[in-house]
Amino acid sequence: MRRWPIVLAATLLSFADARTQTPSRTALDVFFIDVEGGQATLFATPAGESMLVDAGWAGFEGRDAGRIEAAAKQAGVSRLDYLLVTHYHADHVGGVPEIARRLPVRTFVDHGATVEQGERPAALFNAYVDATASGKRLQVKPGDTLPLSGVDVRVVSSGGDLLNRPLPGAGAPNPLCRDFKPLEEDKTENARSVGVVLTYGNFRMIDIGDLTWNKEHDLVCPNNLLGNVDLYLTTHHGLDISGSPAVVHALRPRVAIMNNGAKKGGTRSAWQTVRDSPGLLDFWQLHFAVDAGADHNTAEPLIANLDETTGYGIKVSVQRDGSFTVTNARNGHAKTYRPRS
Ligand SMILES: [Zn+2]
Ligand SMILES: [Zn+2]
């Protein structure tokens, strides 16, 4: 028997089809938009404010900006209060100029200038700086908060600098640090990623962009400065130069979402680390990771796109009590998680 949920036509959700959706006013809605192995995560708060973290790729006839715009429409978002750019790689910043043409952006948030040399990095960075002329630009450092009403967005990494004091309730020694083996220093933009821990009521989630192995380690070793999270957006699309057990297992996520593409991210070892994380209830994915094989992908109902022909997203709707519902836009498969006990 197929273990698929019974889906009523009326419950089918598609970010591209907002007609049947009414924006929620009691929940924090988070849209993990499929940008084919990049990042674009839209937050719509109960107070009517919004934040987009990264904007996917440029090109492809405005594909990613179109998907973001569709999610914004579904969320009832007509302007972005914050557009946070984690770092200046093409799969994160590339889509910023196009989305800034389509939606007014009040404040662009970033870590400062790019650290990468060459024509291509300069072009990406300069196009971003040009786009910011339509709003304010805010450079953040670890410990800063973005003043969204009712939602705490705390910067934990930026420009290569890291939080040096524990977040409230965090700071316990992390025994997993013993087995950690550092990799060579990462001098790319990934290690400069702006990372945030977001708290809404009793709910906590983490998004640290493409932050890499050694920097992540320093956030949780020797003491875990971040604490535990309910929802973990896999760092760096689930590539194996991020997401060591020392960090993932210390975060103790209850639910993880991987923003991979069909052929980007979702490395077997990184996937397995998340899967083995103590206390993990479910692992959702934006794509079936082709190279990983069936043994290193989650169950099909929890995967938003089974191949490269579709662009479904995953929506998370969070209540103040810490309960949250995850919905796969492809099949309407949804699951509600109780508040952390
Ligand atoms: Zn990336
Ligand atoms: Zn990157």
Side-chain angles (χ1 to χ4, degrees):
M1 200 174 86
R2 274 158 48 106
R3 296 180 58 205
W4 281 70
I6 297 165
V7 180
L8 298 174
T11 67
L12 279 170
L13 297 172
S14 166
F15 293 172
D17 180 1
R19 282 170 301 182
T20 59
Q21 299 305 307
T22 47
S24 169
R25 295 295 170 208
T26 58
L28 168 70
D29 287 336
V30 190
F31 296 81
F32 297 86
I33 299 158
D34 176 33
V35 288
E36 310 292 340
Q39 187 181 177
T41 313
L42 177 68
F43 297 82
T45 78
E49 293 176 307
S50 62
M51 173 172 74
L52 177 68
V53 178
D54 293 334
W57 306 82
F60 307 103
E61 298 171 334
R63 178 197 66 199
D64 294 353
R67 291 178 183 177
I68 294 164
E69 201 178 20
K73 193 172 172 195
Q74 185 180 333
V77 165
S78 55
R79 58 142 213 280
L80 296 170
D81 293 296
Y82 296 97
L83 199 173
L84 188 158
V85 172
T86 59
H87 64 300
Y88 303 112
H89 280 162
D91 55 324
H92 298 256
V93 75
V96 168
E98 182 60 28
I99 200 65
R101 275 192 285 274
R102 299 189 187 201
L103 287 172
V105 180
R106 287 197 166 159
T107 304
F108 297 84
V109 180
D110 61 64
H111 71 64
T114 182
V115 296
E116 293 185 4
Q117 309 294 320
E119 207 174 302
R120 175 97 176 115
L124 283 163
F125 180 66
N126 292 337
Y128 167 69
V129 172
D130 289 349
T132 63
S134 63
K136 283 185 284 194
R137 186 170 164 208
L138 177 67
Q139 186 181 331
V140 287
K141 56 185 190 310
D144 288 353
T145 55
L146 297 182
L148 282 170
S149 128
V151 179
D152 185 272
V153 182
R154 191 74 60 103
V155 177
V156 299
S157 64
S158 181
D161 295 328
L162 302 169
L163 206 63
N164 55 16
R165 284 185 309 171
L167 294 178
N174 179 0
L176 300 163
C177 302
R178 272 197 306 268
D179 299 325
F180 177 85
K181 296 194 175 47
L183 295 178
E184 210 171 302
E185 186 190 352
D186 174 12
K187 294 182 176 161
T188 73
E189 271 292 305
N190 291 329
R192 268 71 192 167
S193 289
V194 177
V196 295
V197 169
L198 181 145
T199 307
Y200 172 57
N202 294 322
F203 172 87
R204 292 179 98 229
M205 70 163 279
I206 188 163
D207 176 354
I208 49 177
D210 286 359
L211 201 69
T212 33
W213 199 261
N214 298 356
K215 292 286 185 190
E216 290 179 292
H217 163 272
D218 294 349
L219 283 170
V220 295
C221 292
N223 296 322
N224 176 1
L225 306 180
L226 304 175
N228 299 154
V229 298
D230 299 289
L231 181 62
Y232 170 57
L233 175 64
T234 59
T235 306
H236 210 179
H237 324 288
L239 277 165
D240 59 6
I241 54 170
S242 299
S244 72
V247 61
V248 178
H249 295 187
L251 290 169
R252 288 190 75 91
R254 297 166 65 215
V255 174
I257 295 178
M258 184 159 73
N259 56 351
N260 64 315
K263 291 173 189 150
K264 180 167 170 216
T267 316
R268 285 177 175 217
S269 60
W271 184 92
Q272 196 66 51
T273 296
V274 176
R275 186 65 274 177
D276 293 344
S277 186
L280 189 85
L281 298 171
D282 280 314
F283 192 0
W284 301 67
Q285 297 176 200
L286 278 177
H287 273 271
F288 181 84
V290 174
D291 294 341
D295 290 350
H296 291 82
N297 277 273
T298 196
E300 261 190 21
L302 277 64
I303 301 176
N305 298 285
L306 302 178
D307 58 41
E308 287 170 294
T309 63
T310 58
Y312 294 109
I314 293 172
K315 179 186 172 185
V316 177
S317 210
V318 186
Q319 305 297 328
R320 261 201 84 79
D321 68 359
S323 64
F324 58 103
T325 301
V326 182
T327 306
N328 178 349
R330 175 175 64 83
N331 55 7
H333 181 64
K335 192 162 169 187
T336 297
Y337 302 91
R338 285 198 290 266
R340 179 193 300 269
S341 51

